[in-house]
Amino acid sequence: QAQLVESGGGLVQAGGSLRLSCAASGRTFTSAAMGWFRQNPGKEREFVAKISWSGGNTDYADSVKGRFTISRDNAETTVYLQMNNLKPEDTAVYYCNVLLGRTPLLSWGQGTQVTVSL
């Protein structure tokens, strides 16, 4: 059964950096696009970034362009999200998923909390 486990979140000051990881197990994701989403309490989950199965194409939400970089290591079935110049508005629980377009295909994992302080 497919499983996604996010990690790497934490508390960081504005302007700082974090690197999130998403480890995929139970299935082979090397032929699938994958992406990151984030959600705050009371708000809808929003798209953050996407990467194609080969890693050759990426897509970002306007709010994170130029600050976040998505990458993947298919040998380890892991997707990363490098987040630089973090802002308080980036505070959220971050989730990864397998994508079709920007549509997530699997059940959500537990996510990883990112908190950015002033």
Side-chain angles (χ1 to χ4, degrees), residues 67-110:
R67 300 187 298 120
F68 290 12
T69 302
I70 188 171
S71 61
R72 67 190 296 164
D73 182 339
N74 284 342
E76 297 187 357
T77 60
T78 302
V79 178
Y80 303 98
L81 186 68
Q82 177 66 44
M83 306 186 297
N84 297 328
N85 190 22
L86 281 160
K87 303 176 180 180
E89 51 263 43
D90 295 318
T91 295
V93 178
Y94 284 71
Y95 302 86
C96 67
N97 213 311
V98 178
L99 298 181
L100 178 62
R102 287 188 176 185
T103 302
L105 298 181
L106 303 181
S107 298
W108 296 104
Q110 84 289 350

